[in-house]
Structures are given as structure tokens and as C-alpha cells.
Amino acid sequence: MEIKRAAVIGAGVMGSGIAAHIANAGVPVLLLDIVPKDAAPDKRSAIAEGALARLLKTDPAPFMHKRNARLVSTGNIEDDLDKLADCDWIVEAVLEDPKVKRDLYGKIDKHRKKGSVVSSNTSTLPLAVLTEGMSDAFTADFLVTHFFNPPRYMRLLEIVAGSKTRSEAVGIIRHFCDHRLGKGVVDAKDTPGFIANRLGVFWIECAVVEALDGGLTVEEADAIMGRPMGIPKTGVFGLLDLVGLDLSRHVAREMAASLPGTDAYLAIKRDVPLFEKLIADGYTGRKGKGGFYRLNREGGGREKEAIDLQTGEFAPALRPRLESIGAAGKDLRRLLEFPDKTGQYGWRVLSQVLCYAASLIPEIADDVAAADEAMRLGYAWKEGPFQIADRIGVDWLVARLEEEGRDVPPLLARAAEAGGFYRTEGGQLQFLTVDGEYADLKRREGVLLLEDIKRASEPVKRNASASLWDIGDGILCLEFHSKMNSLDQESLKMVEDAVKIVPKAHKGLVIYNEGSNFSVGANIGLALFAANLALWPMIEDLVATGQRVYKALKYAPFPVVGAPSGMALGGACEILMHCDAIQAHAETYTGLVEVGVGVVPGWGGCKEMVTRWATATRAPKGPMPPVAKAFESIGTAKVAKSAMEAQDMMILREGDRITMNRDRLLADAKARAIELSTDYAPPQEAVLHLPGATGRAAIEMAVRDFELKGMLTPHDRVVVDELKKVLTGGDTDIVDEVGEDALLKLERDAFMKLIRHPGTLARVEHMLDTGKPLRN
């Protein structure tokens, strides 16, 4: 069976978010909720309708494109349950009350079609409790599908199947959620909190209690619990604000009520009066007046404040410069060994979390690899608990626990004897089983990861910023690996080398990496350094090299497929636009943003954007429409917030494709390169028809309007004046046919003029100092 239509019952934050993400997969979805008390006849579906309206206003957006909202229809559970007969998958996301859920299941069972799958999004209730009293036929089609919030962005999906659940039902949902929703599907046992919340709630409780007992400030605790641990910079108190203090307390209570009396969580759980006071006063986190942090807007300002955990009073938030973090650098063990209160806070929390995790395998998951994946995908940790244990040294961890007279879980002791939870054997990653033996870590069918290629082979070529890898079947992979994958001379050199190497023994190239971002674009720090020393020839050479290399890539005698994920900005967007095809991860955020730092795209971005609009079958024809579209995108430094939005901007063209699951991106891109390699011929060089002075006049009208409205700063005006010259063919009255080289020269001249401008240098310096654009 294929999922062709779905339903979600429960239009709260999670339910509506799940519905939106099913719509992102192109599947029609019915969103139902209760009828409001005393509802007018035409307002009986007001709750679901209101949820859909909120989805379109929510930031970050639950929909990958606003048009996806058309796939969501609304209704209520009194009038519209008969529509469930058309649905292949029905997701329940109502109150965490077993009786409420079971009553609803009885109604669903009367209307659903035979063989349809029903699942619950419960975060704490065991499947066995949910199915009490249900028919065998219903139980066979029932499972738990635990999404994480927000459903579009958090990749984890925990699946819990019962002893009576049909394997076919599990397989259908697993395949759909993996391939169509992009989820990392992890099998969990039918235990309270499943995997990620069982470990995550313990970590949060432990971090809060130890901060209170250790006399740490909110800022100090988050500084330790954040980046040094490989955890998002929100740390623990910032995470509680993000999730909501009320929701986190509810989950903690549910967890405590469902755990056996001997569980270690119950030993550390504590009622914290400050929590209850904050919630009672409306400080429920970011969705309320604030939480442990708040924004003080008195006097028209926006000052971030943090609460004092001892007094409950707010004061300006500080950025603590902790001696422990400074001394440790990137060495987590050194941080845990540091003798001050912050280092010992880190040790007390992490040691308890690692021991708790080790004590729960195989109770909550079959193996350590599943637990690690759940924490990476569900809580956005860079490493799961067992990977962290390996990083600090399992033997050191066990020795210190024994030195302190603490119990060592048997699995932790076995890992210390074996040499760690993970090892590489013959190029294959292996994990330690509960039996004390190592087993191969097997990827899901169809998954190809560069990290596995790198573990088992040497690069074809490598420098400080990029590498070439053979990924099989005649395809090479170009990987950027500089800081934030920014592009510099070494990156360009590897692109140039790839153009020479591929034709010798290979048939295609994929540009891809497994960093958080594909690339943030050109290294602006390098540009600022050169500009401050007036090394203008060095900058001009970098621009000219980028143009030459990107053009060589575009017209290479083999297909090139760009495979971005995360940010692909500026020069990174430009390299994608020079590829034969783009196979983009759905969460690709891309655009030509150079105007934001005071320059124009200099590596062919202007040329390629105009060319794309001029040659698109669905775009208006004539000299002016392509220029207007390019100016709209480049002039506003517009960024697509999904691959679907990038289609609207013509960064992705007709024929370019989108992969929903990040782990499947490389395999899809490789397959696309192989497909294009059959009878491949490079594209013909474009000749553009540009509007000249007429086009500049038309653009000027729009620019002037922005200026009159106060939406254009003085330096913005300098930049857009140069941009409109480039896009319309130069500072001449009449322009007709313009070749690519001529347009590249216009780009290069405009870039060099602007990079020398004091306004641009101020913007670049401000961006490097603060990470934020300067409006000058």
C-alpha cells in the first residue's frame, strides 16, 4: 500500500505541524479537531481552520512552500470522520490522556478503511496502554510514530510497534517517513519516553538540579551545557525557554508517573518552586513573556535579561568568559577535569547522563547506535551519549567513576575493556553490542554517506579547503571542508583540478559535503584582510579565478551535479548555478546575498541568473523580464528558505530535483550524475539580449520608489546602481546581444569598484564582528 492520503486528528502545535509536513511531501491531508463549545453552524471546524491559518504565519515556516497549504483540508471529529475512509494513514495527536485517546480510536475504527494504518504521536504513553480494549484488527494496524517539534525541522521519528502490529504496516510508515518526510526513523522499545525523551528529560532535570546545587548562573550553565558538549548553544535553560516551561514540566510529570520506582530519574527529580512561579506569572518561555531569559522592552529597547536562580530576579544577561572553557579549548575531557565550579558542573551532569544511558540499553533500544542517533536527530546533539563517552575516553570515565565510589553500569565497563563503543575495522564502522562483541553499523538501504567513503579510502586529491573522493561507478565527489565551508583560493584550485581529473578515468562529478552547511560563500574575512592592506590585485585575481573556474566547470566535458544542504549562499549559490543539475536537500537555504555586504555577485551569479530567466520555458519573454527577475532576487539579497522556494527563484530549474532525506542526498546526486553521463554534451554558451538604457530606466523607477519610502540606505543606492548596469548590459545607451565573457567583465568591474568603497568595507567588517548586516 502507498500513502496517497492522510489524516491528522488534533490540530494543536504538533498535530498541525505534522499535517503541514505531510503536505510538504505532496500528500493531501485532512486536519480534524473537536467542535468548539457553542460553535455557530459555520464555525464547527474553527479550531482546525485556525490552526491552518496560524501555520501560514508561523516562523520558522512549517510549510516548505505556502502553496503546500492547499493540500490541507480541515474539519471536525463530529461531522467529518467519514472522510477517514479515504485515508491510508491516520495520525492521532490529541491530549496525553489514555481514555481520551482510546475513545477516539473507537470512533476512528468505525470509519477507517480496511488496512489503513493508525498511529499515535504520544511522547510518553506506552503502546500497550493505548491499545487496551481495542480489537485485534485495530491493534494489528496500530503503532506509535513519535515526531519531534517542529516536525518539519527535527529529523527524528521514533517508531514503536506492538507485538500484534503487522510488519507490513510498520514497513509502509517507515518507508514513507524516511523517503517522503525525510525522517531518520529509529526503532524504540515500548517504554516510557521511548529513547530520546527518556534520555533528554533526564539530562535536562540533571542539568537544572546541578546548576541550582552548584550555585551557577543561567548563563554559566548554558555556556557549559552548550557548544563544549556538542549541544546547541541554547544549552539547557535556553532549551527550556524554547520548548516551553509548562510543556517541559508536563512531560517531566508524565515521565515520573510512568517510570518504575527504582529508575535513576526519580532519584534526581525535584520540584523547583521557581519553575512553578515562572509558569504562574506567564513566564512559560519564548511563547510567553519569557522564561529563564526575557527581552526587556522598557523605554523602547530590547535588552536580553536572565533570571537569578537563587533570587528569582532578572538582570542583564552576561556572556560569561569561563576559565574552564578557555583552558580546555576543544578538549571536553580537560573541561570535565577543570577544578572550578563550572568544570565540575559539567562532570556531574555528563557523568550521570552517560551512566543513565548505559544502564538503559537494551531496555529502551536494541543498541547504542540507535540511542546515539535518537539524541542526534531528536535533540540536535552533534554526538550521542555513547559517542561522547568515546570522545572523552571510556577507560578514563570508568576510572573516575570508580575513584569516586560510584556504580559503573555493566555496558560501560565492557566498553572500557573493549576500547570504546565504536571502532573502525577494515574501513567499516562498528559498534559494541550488549553482548560485548562488535557488529557492523549498517546503513538503511539506498543510503550513501561520504563519511563511510572517507573511512574506507584515501582522497583522489586533497588540499586545506577541499578534497576529491571516488564514490564509485565512475563518479567523483568534490567536498569543501574549510571553516563553514567558505570558498577561497584552495577551494577554487580543487574545482579546477576536478575539471582536469574527472575526464581521465571518470564520467561525472558531484559537489557535496556533510557539513551543517553546503557553503556560506566566499571567505569575506580574506577579502577584508586584502582590502585593508590595499592588495587590490590579489582580490581581482581571486574574482577572475572564480569566474574562470566556474565557467570551466559549466562547460566541462562531463556532467556536474550540485548537491546542497543547509546554507548555500553567495559564491556557493553561484557554483550551483554553474552545475548541469542540482539535486537539493529539501532544507536548502540559498541565494545571491552579495548586495547585503555591499558588492554584486562576482563569480558569474548575475550572468547565470539572467540566463536562467531568459531560457526558462515558463518565464515571460523579451529583454526586460529576465533582467527584472534577476534584479528582484539579487538586489534584495533574497534567500530561499527551502529548495521549493529556490525553484521559484530559478536557482533550481525545471528538471532539478529535491531529496527529502539528508542521508539519501549523495546517493540521489550520484544517480543523477550517472543518468546525465549517457551521451553527455556540454551546454551551448548563451548569448543574452539585454535592454540597455531602457532597462536601467525601468529599474530606476522601482529603486526610486524604495528610496522615497526610506527603504534604501545611501550605500544601498551605490550598490544597486552598479547592479543595474551589470544586468542591463553596461553603461551604454543601446545593448542587444551580450556574450558571457562580456557580462563577466561587467560583474568583475562592478565588484572591484564596490569592494574599494568605504561603505562596503564597513559592512564587511561589521558582518565579521557581529554576524549581522550593517545598514549604512
Side-chain angles (χ1 to χ4, degrees), residues 489 492 535-549 603 748 751-752:
Q489 295 100 322
L492 296 177
L535 299 176
W536 309 119
M538 175 181 168
I539 296 176
E540 186 161 13
D541 179 68
L542 181 63
V543 176
T545 299
Q547 290 186 346
R548 184 187 74 251
V549 168
W603 285 343
R748 189 165 65 249
F751 184 96
M752 291 307 301

Side-chain angles (χ1 to χ4, degrees), residues 264-392:
Y265 175 71
L266 300 177
I268 66 164
K269 187 179 183 305
R270 184 186 304 175
D271 290 330
V272 180
L274 178 60
F275 267 59
E276 308 310 322
K277 183 178 187 308
L278 284 169
I279 294 169
D281 292 345
Y283 284 92
T284 54
R286 294 187 189 182
K287 64 184 179 182
K289 296 190 293 185
F292 294 101
Y293 296 95
R294 73 176 184 184
L295 280 179
N296 188 338
R297 293 183 171 87
E298 290 182 6
R302 283 171 57 89
E303 184 175 27
K304 184 177 182 180
E305 295 181 335
I307 200 166
D308 186 309
L309 293 174
Q310 308 303 321
T311 68
E313 299 296 323
F314 282 96
L318 304 174
R319 287 189 177 183
R321 296 184 177 274
L322 302 183
E323 188 180 354
S324 56
I325 293 177
K330 294 183 179 180
D331 188 332
L332 180 55
R333 187 200 292 189
R334 288 188 65 189
L335 173 64
L336 303 180
E337 291 174 327
F338 202 80
D340 77 351
K341 67 176 183 178
T342 61
Q344 292 315 293
Y345 168 69
W347 162 250
R348 288 195 303 273
V349 174
L350 191 58
S351 61
Q352 290 181 72
V353 170
L354 298 184
C355 286
Y356 188 62
S359 72
L360 292 175
I361 305 297
E363 178 189 337
I364 63 173
D366 284 332
D367 51 59
V368 298
D372 280 342
E373 185 174 18
M375 291 309 292
R376 290 196 308 270
L377 301 183
Y379 277 74
W381 289 16
K382 286 188 176 180
E383 299 171 309
F386 301 102
Q387 292 171 303
I388 293 174
D390 275 2
R391 175 154 62 108
I392 62 176

Side-chain angles (χ1 to χ4, degrees), residues 468-469 473-478 492-511 548-562 575 578-581 653 669-670 672-684:
L468 272 179
W469 298 91
D473 299 308
I475 306 299
L476 292 186
C477 176
L478 171 60
L492 296 177
K493 180 66 169 61
M494 191 57 68
V495 176
E496 193 167 34
D497 288 343
V499 172
K500 297 173 183 176
I501 291 171
V502 172
K504 293 178 181 179
H506 301 83
K507 57 187 179 184
L509 178 70
V510 170
I511 305 177
R548 184 187 74 251
V549 168
Y550 281 17
K551 185 177 179 182
L553 188 73
K554 179 177 180 178
Y555 296 111
F558 54 84
V560 181
V561 177
I575 199 169
H578 285 79
C579 294
D580 293 284
R653 295 169 292 186
K670 176 185 171 181
R672 182 71 169 130
I674 292 172
E675 177 188 335
L676 291 172
S677 68
T678 303
D679 300 322
Y680 176 78
Q684 296 294 311

Side-chain angles (χ1 to χ4, degrees), residues 219-242:
E219 302 98 313
E220 288 171 337
D222 282 348
I224 294 293
M225 281 296 119
R227 286 175 173 163
M229 300 275 185
I231 293 170
K233 65 179 181 180
T234 51
V236 63
F237 290 102
L239 177 63
L240 286 168
D241 281 359
L242 182 64

Side-chain angles (χ1 to χ4, degrees), residues 146 148 154-156 158 193 195-204 230-232 234-235 239 243 251 255 372-382:
H146 182 212
F148 280 68
M154 298 306 294
R155 290 187 57 208
L156 178 62
E158 292 175 321
I195 303 174
N197 276 350
R198 182 73 173 271
L199 299 177
V201 170
F202 181 93
W203 164 66
I204 290 171
I231 293 170
T234 51
L239 177 63
V243 171
V251 171
M255 186 77 74
D372 280 342
E373 185 174 18
M375 291 309 292
R376 290 196 308 270
L377 301 183
Y379 277 74
W381 289 16
K382 286 188 176 180

